Structure formats: C-alpha cells, structure tokens
Amino acid sequence: MLSRVQSCGVLGIDAFPLVVEVDITPGMNKTEVVGLPDAAVKESKERVRSAIRNSGFRVPRGTIVVNLAPADLRKEGSALDLPIALGILAANGQVTDGRLEDYALVGELALDGTIRPVAGALSMAIGARDNGLRGLLVPAANAAEAGTVQGVEVIPVNRLMDAVDFISGSQEIAPHVTNIQTLFDSAHRDAPDLSEVKGQGHVKRAMTVAAAGGHNLLMIGPPGTGKTMLASRLPGILPDMTFDEALETTRIFSVADMTDDQQGLVVQRPFRSPHHTASTVSICGGGPGQRPHPGEVSLAHNGVLFLDEVPEFNRSAIEVLRQPLEEGLVHIRRAMYSVAYPSRFMLVMAMNPCPCGSRTDPHRQCRCTTGQVQRYMSRLSGPLLDRIDIHVDVPALSFEELSDNRPSGPSSAEVRQQVQAARDRQRARYDGRFTSNARLDSKTTRKHCALSDGGKALLEKAITRMGLSARAYDKVLRVARTIADLDATDAIADHHIAEAVQYRSLDRQAF
C-alpha cells in the first residue's frame, strides 16, 4: 500500500515543499530511504521503528521504501522522523489519512515516541502557508516560534500518539497563536542602559548619530575606557524592530537552532560579538559538508556586529565583511549548494591606539616604536576603513568622572526616542525605498544632501587636506544628513558638515 505525507525542508532560510512517499511490499524485513538523504535522515529508520513500537503500534513486516521528493535536493536533519513514521503507519492501514493532504508534519522522534524540536520551524510554517496547506504539525517546543505566522494553523504535538490521533480525526488540538504584541512590549526590558557608562559624552553623541542613520562606527582608545560597555548599549538605543524585521531575524536564528522556546520571536535587535580568533567561515557562514550555517554577519542581521580588538582578527575574516556591508547579503557557494543569507547590520569596531594600548593615555607611557604602531594600524585596510562612517576617539577617564555616581547623560530610552524620530523622518523622505541614511545610493545622496556654499567650501578643504576617497565623501554627506535629521531640519547646515568631517579625521591622524 502507498501513502503520501506532506512535509518541508529548509535551504538557507527558505523552506521548500517536500513529500514523503512510503510503499510497503511483501518480502525481506528492511527499510530503505531514498531521495538524497544525509546521514541523519538515513538513521531515522531506526528511530522511527523504535518510536512506532514504543507508542503501541505495530511495525509492519516486509520491505518499506521511503522516497523523499523532490529527489534531486539534499535532505538534511532529523525533522523528517515524524512524517516518515506517519507515512509508514498510513501505508500499513494503522492511521486513516483524512488530514494528511491538508497538513504538513515536521519533528524529530525519540525512541519512546516523544517529539523533539527541530531547526527552521518558522521558515517551515511560512512555507506551509505559501504552499496552500491548512496547517503544520510541529513539536510543542517549536510552537511559539511557528505560531507567529498568520494564515496557517500551527498544531503543537508532544508525542507520536498525539500526531496520529489528530491526523485520524479522533482528537482535536487547538492551533497555537503567539501573542506578538506582548513580545514587543518586553523588547527592552533587560537591555543595559547608556546612562550607566561614566563620562564619554562625545562618544555617546557619536553613537546617537550612528544609531539614527544606521552608520558603521569605529572606536579607538586605551584599554579600560569603556569601548565594550558603550558598544553593548547600542542595541538599546536603536529603533524598535518592525514585525517584518523581527520575522526575518528570527528565521535566521531558527535555521541556526538558536531561538528561545518560550520567546518564539526575536524582538530585540541582536548584538553579536565574536572572539578575535573566529574563523572566516564562522564570520561569513557556510561550513563543511552539504549543510550550510549562517555566520555572525547573518546572525547580526537588523542588529549590531561588534568586533572588539579588531586588529587581532584574521585579515581574511575582516575583509570578508566588504560584500555584506555593501549589499546586505552574503552569498555562499559550495560544490553541493548555493545560498544567500540576509546580512544587513551595523558594524561597530573597537581597537587600541597601539599594540600596548597606551599611546593616547596621559597616565601611561607607550613602549611601542613608530614602526610597531604603523604595522598595528595597517591591519585594517583602506577599503574597509572607507566603509566605516564614523571614527571616534575614546579617551581615558579622569578620577572625577570615575567617582561621580550620578547618571551620566540621557538614558537609553531618551536617546532611543531621538533616534526613532530621526528614522521616521528618513522613512518618510525616502518613501520606504531606504530605511536609513547609511543605505542611500549615490544618486539619492546627491538629491537629498544638498549643501550651502559654506558647506561646500568646508567639505572641499577637508577632502584636500585629508585625501578622502569618493566613498568617504558620500559617507560624510550621509552622516551630515543624519545630524540634520536629529536636529529635525531639512537643510544641511555648515555645522552639520563640520561635525560629520570631524568623525572622519581620526583615520588620517591614527592611520
């Protein structure tokens, strides 16, 4: 007897429809899985046999052939355990197939029939909806994540028996619907506050400008001046995520199997801080074998990627950032697959001014030679520096600043209101084509960043003296546009240009 069960697979962050066909014929007792399965899928036949037997069902005798269609796509992971088990029971007549045509099934089976969570449940729910299915049976631990998708029933199941009873129609299970508004209301509940960082008022101003326009930021200063503390508070002053942004970010975390079972949806902008020993693959994504994984640039999508002690990173790991910084995507091509992960993030980098870190510290003596300093600074290439919009010096704090126990400057909530107002102006100005000033193309930059005669003269002097590239010239205009947005003005004034130019001066002094 032949049975067909609907399911889903995931490639990159997108799901594709998958059909599990099961045929049972008399003969030798064996199970064959065909259709390009990987090792985890091949091993599923042993898990399925034990789960069927320990759930009170009978394992059919004879030759069981399981075909995973389409046969030309690689099938990976353990999410096909549940549809294979239902297909075997349906082909053997132990399950009536009244609902198999309307619902897709995914889930890993334990030997006792318990259904364990799988990666990519959110993408699978979206895929089931887009393919016109009524619903999706998922492990109960994945219900909060998949329940954020509207237009499809998400049925949580804990055991194989629950799935059998629901498909047969002998038990009704209420679809799980995640309360999205409650999740968004708690987005900034545990975020560290900007006012907790002592002093560094001009750095906080630079962070506000960076957050308002989505600009990349480089902080240079001695150890212990608060660079890491400042960077960790950046997500708290960024605008609240929209539902579409949260959904896309959660899809990436879902395929990486990094979602919170209780939360379901990633509603706070991610903050990723890889160690300086991170490899190129861990930064950009990919991996050995046939199964790709999103890297740090994708896990930071719609959030912040922070590289502390950036000169200590492998040169190739840093240079791989160029493509996602420009395109907002990272393309990964291997012999067996080709995927593209969204990778639109704010890049924040921190570094010492020299190898010993004391060159700009008034309380310590630098032991580095001029050659050592130059070699240290040259670890960041010119093309990468051109992609950094704002460079800011982070000086050592005085005793008075350290001993002051009062809140230092505005809170994260107050700064976030300013940033949100500036972003709202940008969305209205660009009519949804661009979400922030940092994303403008050259044509739009020229159109919306017109300068006065004084501003042109000031920018001309800066270009002549500092030798800025064409890309750096555009970035100065975009940063000035953001500063004007923070001031709620349409025209870019001379002092806006002066502040934007100041944020480009450190690379010429230090590098």
Side-chain angles (χ1 to χ4, degrees):
M1 185 174 177
L2 178 67
S3 68
R4 292 165 55 90
V5 180
Q6 306 289 331
S7 187
C8 296
V10 176
L11 181 62
I13 65 168
D14 297 317
F16 60 89
L18 195 154
V19 178
V20 177
E21 300 175 329
V22 179
D23 185 30
I24 303 177
T25 57
M28 184 183 302
N29 293 331
K30 64 177 182 177
T31 302
E32 295 289 344
V33 181
V34 297
L36 282 183
D38 71 349
V41 179
K42 289 180 179 179
E43 292 173 353
S44 67
K45 58 187 180 182
E46 306 301 335
R47 293 192 297 271
V48 167
R49 279 181 173 273
S50 295
I52 289 175
R53 184 169 53 252
N54 292 325
S55 296
F57 297 99
R58 177 174 52 84
V59 179
R61 301 178 64 83
T63 300
I64 303 173
V65 178
V66 179
N67 179 46
L68 310 176
D72 59 339
L73 289 177
R74 189 79 174 175
K75 318 304 184 306
E76 301 168 337
S78 55
L80 295 177
D81 289 4
L82 181 60
I84 290 175
L86 263 294
I88 291 175
L89 294 176
N92 191 236
Q94 299 182 68
V95 176
T96 57
D97 57 358
R99 292 177 171 174
L100 283 180
E101 292 292 328
D102 300 327
Y103 289 85
L105 295 85
V106 293
E108 176 185 334
L109 287 175
L111 299 185
D112 63 351
T114 302
I115 301 178
R116 292 172 173 162
V118 296
L122 178 58
S123 295
M124 293 175 183
I126 295 174
R129 179 196 64 190
D130 294 345
N131 291 323
L133 295 177
R134 180 178 176 182
L136 174 72
L137 270 70
V138 299
N142 292 126
E145 172 189 332
T148 59
V149 180
Q150 299 178 349
V152 65
E153 294 181 5
V154 175
I155 308 298
V157 287
N158 289 297
R159 302 184 61 84
L160 176 60
M161 180 65 75
D162 298 335
V164 170
D165 291 342
F166 179 81
I167 292 298
S168 300
S170 59
Q171 177 186 357
E172 293 297 327
I173 301 176
H176 183 94
V177 179
T178 302
N179 191 328
I180 298 173
Q181 187 58 49
T182 301
L183 297 179
F184 276 97
D185 290 343
S186 63
H188 300 285
R189 185 176 298 168
D190 301 322
D193 200 272
L194 188 63
S195 63
E196 297 170 349
V197 182
K198 298 181 182 297
Q200 309 296 7
H202 71 292
V203 184
K204 295 178 181 178
R205 168 63 178 178
M207 288 177 56
T208 303
V209 175
H215 301 290
N216 301 320
L217 175 68
L218 169 64
M219 295 183 286
I220 305 175
T225 54
K227 299 187 294 295
T228 303
M229 284 187 65
L230 287 162
S232 65
R233 281 148 177 80
L234 189 54
I237 67 174
L238 288 172
D240 294 332
M241 295 183 79
T242 64
F243 176 71
D244 290 339
E245 288 177 332
L247 200 64
E248 192 171 35
T249 302
T250 306
R251 290 176 68 188
I252 298 172
F253 275 74
S254 177
V255 299
D257 202 14
M258 296 174 61
T259 52
D260 187 336
D261 292 345
Q262 303 300 321
Q263 190 82 357
L265 196 67
V266 178
V267 294
Q268 187 165 345
R269 296 190 181 274
F271 179 81
R272 303 295 301 177
S273 180
H275 193 261
H276 63 263
T277 58
S279 65
T280 303
V281 171
S282 68
I283 295 293
C284 72
Q290 282 81 38
R291 188 173 186 181
H293 294 274
E296 294 291 343
V297 295
S298 299
L299 294 172
H301 183 60
N302 289 320
V304 178
L305 176 64
F306 176 53
L307 303 183
D308 199 7
E309 303 295 344
V310 65
E312 304 300 331
F313 278 77
N314 184 287
R315 182 67 176 264
S316 61
I318 300 175
E319 295 301 321
V320 80
L321 298 174
R322 292 194 201 177
Q323 183 195 35
L325 284 175
E326 289 293 326
E327 300 180 14
L329 288 172
V330 57
H331 299 274
I332 301 172
R333 293 179 175 86
R334 300 291 185 268
M336 296 296 294
Y337 63 82
S338 175
V339 298
Y341 289 115
S343 303
R344 193 171 295 284
F345 55 89
M346 275 185 63
L347 176 63
V348 180
M349 302 192 297
M351 62 182 296
N352 297 330
C354 66
C356 75
S358 302
R359 188 161 66 93
T360 60
D361 192 336
H363 308 296
R364 300 177 185 173
Q365 171 136 10
C366 178
R367 304 184 303 272
C368 305
T369 65
T370 302
Q372 289 175 324
V373 174
Q374 290 177 346
R375 284 191 294 272
Y376 179 78
M377 296 297 183
S378 65
R379 294 179 186 177
L380 292 185
S381 66
L384 181 62
L385 284 175
D386 274 345
R387 289 169 170 82
I388 307 300
D389 305 2
I390 298 175
H391 312 149
V392 62
D393 185 22
V394 186
L397 295 174
S398 65
F399 175 77
E400 289 76 12
E401 291 174 314
L402 291 172
S403 59
D404 190 351
N405 293 324
R406 295 172 299 176
S408 178
S411 66
S412 292
E414 294 170 331
V415 176
R416 188 166 62 251
Q417 290 180 353
Q418 302 175 31
V419 170
Q420 185 69 61
R423 287 287 185 103
D424 290 342
R425 290 178 63 87
Q426 294 164 41
R427 286 193 175 93
R429 180 189 302 122
Y430 309 128
D431 196 24
R433 288 183 44 215
F434 301 98
T435 58
S436 64
N437 289 327
R439 309 302 176 194
L440 299 181
D441 55 29
S442 296
K443 181 180 179 181
T444 310
T445 300
R446 300 293 190 277
K447 179 180 179 181
H448 294 284
C449 299
L451 303 179
S452 64
D453 292 339
K456 289 180 180 179
L458 181 60
L459 191 52
E460 181 182 3
K461 290 180 182 179
I463 292 175
T464 303
R465 294 181 181 180
M466 299 168 58
L468 299 181
S469 67
R471 181 183 285 113
Y473 171 79
D474 282 349
K475 289 192 177 297
V476 170
L477 293 179
R478 293 167 191 156
V479 172
R481 177 69 270 168
T482 299
I483 299 171
D485 288 335
L486 285 170
D487 288 345
T489 61
D490 292 328
I492 298 177
D494 295 354
H495 66 274
H496 297 148
I497 290 290
E499 184 177 354
V501 169
Q502 169 213 255
Y503 293 137
R504 296 298 307 182
S505 62
L506 281 177
D507 63 329
R508 300 310 164 197
Q509 296 174 9
F511 295 89

